[in-house]
Amino acid sequence: MRKSPDAAIKIASAALFLVALLVAVPLLINATGRSDLYYTLTSVALLSIISAGVWITFYIGRINIGQGAYALMGGYVSAVLVMKYGMSFWLTLPLAGLFCAAASVLIGLPILRLRGVYFAMVTLVLTEVARLLALALPITNGASGIVSIPLPSGISFFGLTLIPDFATLANPRLAFYMVSVLLMAFCFLGLYRLAHSRIGQLCQSLQQNEELASSIGVNIAYLRVVAYALSSFLGGVGGAMFASISQSIYPSSFTVADSVNFMLNCFLGGLGYVLGPMLGTFVLYFGWDLLFQTGEFQLLIFSTVLIVLMLILPNGLLSLALPRKRSL
């Protein structure tokens, strides 16, 4: 089957964007000597992955303000497995996501019956519950958190080094940046495929009218749980990566404010676009830093600008240049 011109353009654009992130950005950073930007851009990539999970729950018509709980959970799962059981970080990365997905199924079965502000309020509480659990459970070391987490070890296959030991690298930040960008690329490629799949279309029908979708035979309870599990999986993976980069995890690593920001990233970029969380994260992250010089007026100006942008562009920043299609 021949690909349409539009599909070929999208593939070429995505490939160029990925090459720019993996090749052009490191060259520019090395030329300017601003190696600290690696950590900044890595944080943006990981935050966009976690925000992408929130976008999935919006896709089924649910307002999720509890993603910070799963990011915190994923960070602790990875840290505990590495520190207390000696597992390789690369194995703990998917395990952290799967653990969060399993937990979200148990949590989601009762709360996904709620809608609108009721579901939002329950998810908002989840982040605080996760923080209190991290403070109370002995395995998490309470307020002291888990520190001195070793850098990811290498992976070899028949003597061929697939991933080097990060501790032996001259610049581990570059390695973390590369891994985070690749994870982000796989994440949004998966979201794009989800939006074009039959399951994606059924999920979209839940957002429009659950009763009508149920009347034509759609298993809405199953779809809600699957979408919420995928959302939590991304949160867990992002949290595990953050714990490895910072080599520590604390109960305050992800708070209610972070959960709100994950939601705002989706709103700002555009709920109708797959790339909305990525753009929203970039603008929100750097926008906050740019306003640092305003001192005590930083939060006031920041909040005012966000409100104005949402009033002027209710479909997000991407609506300026792109038609409103969820496939973009």
Side-chain angles (χ1 to χ4, degrees):
M1 182 183 295
R2 297 179 61 184
K3 293 184 172 64
S4 66
D6 286 344
I9 292 174
K10 290 178 182 178
I11 293 173
S13 300
L16 286 174
F17 181 64
L18 185 58
V19 169
L21 290 177
L22 294 176
V23 179
V25 170
L27 288 176
L28 288 173
I29 291 177
N30 292 336
T32 58
R34 292 289 306 276
S35 59
D36 58 298
L37 288 176
Y38 280 127
Y39 182 82
T40 301
L41 294 176
T42 299
S43 298
V44 171
L46 295 179
L47 290 173
S48 68
I49 292 173
I50 301 174
S51 300
V54 179
W55 185 88
I56 294 176
T57 55
F58 276 117
Y59 205 60
I60 60 170
R62 294 294 188 275
I63 301 174
N64 182 4
I65 322 179
Q67 191 73 337
Y70 297 106
L72 185 65
M73 196 183 302
Y76 268 109
V77 168
S78 176
V80 168
L81 291 176
V82 170
M83 295 292 290
K84 297 187 182 297
Y85 298 98
M87 293 182 66
S88 168
F89 165 75
W90 304 111
L91 182 58
T92 69
L93 191 61
L95 288 178
L98 291 173
F99 182 90
C100 292
S104 71
V105 171
L106 297 177
I107 297 171
L109 285 173
I111 71 171
L112 282 169
R113 299 173 183 271
L114 303 173
R115 300 186 189 180
V117 68
Y118 304 104
F119 179 81
M121 290 300 99
V122 171
T123 57
L124 183 62
V125 172
L126 287 179
T127 305
E128 187 63 15
V129 170
R131 186 186 71 84
L132 293 175
L133 283 175
L135 281 171
L137 295 176
I139 198 170
T140 61
N141 290 339
S144 300
I146 300 177
V147 298
S148 301
I149 301 173
L151 293 173
S153 58
I155 296 180
S156 299
F157 186 73
F158 289 109
L160 177 65
T161 300
L162 301 178
I163 300 177
D165 188 340
F166 281 26
T168 63
L169 298 177
N171 189 2
R173 288 186 175 185
L174 173 60
F176 275 118
Y177 169 77
M178 292 293 187
V179 171
S180 300
V181 168
L182 289 174
L183 283 177
M184 182 181 69
F186 283 122
C187 167
F188 284 93
L189 177 62
L191 287 189
Y192 181 85
R193 292 302 305 153
L194 175 65
H196 283 77
S197 68
R198 181 174 179 273
I199 293 180
Q201 294 173 349
L202 292 176
C203 287
Q204 189 176 354
S205 71
L206 299 188
Q207 181 187 125
Q208 296 172 350
N209 193 318
E210 286 191 359
E211 287 75 16
L212 180 59
S214 179
S215 68
I216 60 175
V218 176
N219 190 338
I220 60 175
Y222 171 78
L223 287 178
R224 286 190 303 230
V225 171
V226 168
Y228 194 50
L230 288 174
S231 168
S232 304
F233 178 86
L234 294 179
V237 169
M241 279 296 300
F242 260 115
S244 182
I245 291 171
S246 61
Q247 295 185 270
S248 61
I249 184 74
Y250 300 94
S252 59
S253 294
F254 292 96
T255 63
V256 172
D258 295 309
S259 291
V260 173
N261 285 334
F262 296 144
M263 178 187 64
L264 288 177
N265 292 338
C266 300
F267 277 121
L268 186 60
L271 295 178
Y273 308 90
V274 170
L275 296 180
M278 186 190 299
L279 178 62
T281 302
F282 183 87
V283 173
L284 202 65
Y285 191 97
F286 286 99
W288 176 257
D289 286 345
L290 287 174
L291 292 174
F292 181 76
Q293 301 299 327
T294 60
E296 60 183 2
F297 299 104
Q298 181 184 20
L299 183 58
L300 176 62
I301 297 173
F302 184 74
S303 303
T304 303
V305 171
L306 280 180
I307 293 172
V308 171
L309 282 175
M310 290 181 183
L311 289 174
I312 297 175
L313 299 170
N315 293 326
L317 294 174
L318 283 174
S319 63
L320 283 171
L322 299 172
R324 191 174 187 276
K325 292 183 180 179
R326 296 190 177 275
S327 59
L328 293 174

